[in-house]
Amino acid sequence: MGELTLRSWPFPDNQEVELVWFGSPFLDYKNNWRIRVAFRTSIGELKILSYPWGTIPYLRLGQVYTNGVYDQIKPLRGSAYKITIDRLDQAVLLNGFNLPKRLMDFGKNPELGLQKIIQFQSNGITFSIPVIESCVQARYAGV
């Protein structure tokens, strides 16, 4: 994938920020689909930005961005797991406010905390995955 620079970029030059959460897709005033994303600075400040829907392949949870660009060589933050979901029908559809505060604190911000998540267990570990497509939300909500 070629290099893409995210604009607008409200952070100081050369400041590293981590993409930590996807919000819900929405239509802007021009009827274009956009996605809200939350970046966290090194001091823990969250900033919510929105980008065109087409930037989703470039947006990765745990990726560190500087000046609107990510370093393709620098590893993602966090831990990588390979999991098998044996019983997705036992997964629960919740909202982000149900995440443990130590994992993610949304500061009571409804743009982030009301985002749907699918929560399931595998080998005694609870996983929570943000849901960013309305059709997926409807399917897991039993619609």
Side-chain angles (χ1 to χ4, degrees), residues 1-6 54-60 65 68-72:
M1 182 182 327
E3 186 173 290
L4 174 77
T5 301
L6 297 172
T55 59
I56 284 185
Y58 185 75
L59 302 171
R60 299 179 186 164
Y65 293 76
V69 177
Y70 78 90
D71 182 346
Q72 296 183 17

Side-chain angles (χ1 to χ4, degrees), residues 4-5 21 23 25 27 36 40 50 64-65 72 75 78 92 98 107 109 118 138:
L4 174 77
T5 301
W21 198 250
L27 286 170
R36 284 187 183 88
R40 182 173 41 215
S50 73
V64 175
Y65 293 76
Q72 296 183 17
V92 180
N98 290 87
N109 185 331
I118 295 174

Side-chain angles (χ1 to χ4, degrees), residues 53-124:
W53 184 252
T55 59
I56 284 185
Y58 185 75
L59 302 171
R60 299 179 186 164
L61 291 176
Q63 184 67 57
V64 175
Y65 293 76
T66 306
N67 302 326
V69 177
Y70 78 90
D71 182 346
Q72 296 183 17
I73 297 172
K74 190 171 191 171
L76 298 172
R77 290 192 177 166
S79 301
Y81 290 93
K82 181 177 181 178
I83 60 170
T84 301
I85 304 171
D86 298 320
R87 299 287 316 260
L88 190 56
D89 61 335
Q90 293 179 354
V92 180
L93 186 68
L94 303 168
N95 67 39
F97 287 130
N98 290 87
L99 289 169
K101 191 171 184 169
R102 65 178 161 62
L103 179 61
M104 177 61 87
D105 180 14
F106 295 114
K108 298 182 182 176
N109 185 331
E111 288 184 310
L112 301 176
L114 292 176
Q115 175 64 34
K116 299 294 184 192
I117 60 173
I118 295 174
Q119 197 170 72
F120 63 93
Q121 288 197 347
S122 177
N123 296 325

